[in-house]
Amino acid sequence: MEPTILGKKGETWACEYLQKAKYKIREVNYRAGRNEIDIIASQGRYIIFVEVKTRTYNTICDPEQAVNWKKQQAIIKTAHAYILKHQLSQMEARFDIIGIRYKNDKNMHILHIPNAYYPM
């Protein structure tokens, strides 16, 4: 499957997963300048910024390992802009990663890592 298509499917699966877990999806593919956050959700007092990485089973590294420091900093910057724009400073920000290992539509594994990293 083409990487772009697999990535979009992964974001859809991640949204479905979060909704089943009682998260409210606020935005998908939120952009601020050149940066993007895959999913912005909320649950209780948290505003949650989610990076989704989807890989096939034949890749060497786990998908969640692809969220490096530089990517984290871009997400944190974009999250800050979102919080200011929507006046959400009363909510606690959380940065999660969802890693998806995909073999076929009936054989995939979703790993949700809440609080995967913290703003510095």
Side-chain angles (χ1 to χ4, degrees), residues 22-111:
K22 306 294 186 217
Y23 288 75
K24 177 186 174 199
I25 305 300
R26 299 173 70 107
E27 302 268 355
V28 177
N29 301 122
Y30 176 80
R31 295 193 73 79
R34 295 177 58 165
N35 298 321
E36 178 185 82
I37 297 175
D38 292 331
I39 301 170
I40 301 174
S42 58
Q43 187 181 53
R45 69 178 195 262
Y46 292 99
I47 183 78
I48 303 147
F49 302 95
V50 184
E51 179 67 11
V52 180
K53 291 295 181 188
T54 307
R55 300 290 188 265
T56 57
Y57 271 99
N58 61 356
T59 56
I60 296 172
C61 73
D62 292 327
E64 57 278 3
Q65 292 176 324
V67 186
N68 60 26
W69 184 86
K70 185 176 179 179
K71 180 67 176 173
Q72 291 172 15
Q73 296 310 302
I75 293 168
I76 290 165
K77 179 181 177 181
T78 307
H80 182 69
Y82 182 86
I83 288 168
L84 289 175
K85 179 179 180 180
H86 295 279
Q87 300 175 350
L88 298 171
S89 60
Q90 75 282 3
M91 297 183 82
E92 288 187 49
R94 196 175 87 195
F95 298 89
D96 294 7
I97 297 172
I98 292 182
I100 301 173
R101 282 282 194 173
Y102 174 83
K103 188 169 190 178
N104 57 50
D105 288 345
K106 295 185 181 202
N107 189 356
M108 73 176 100
H109 179 259
I110 296 176
L111 175 64

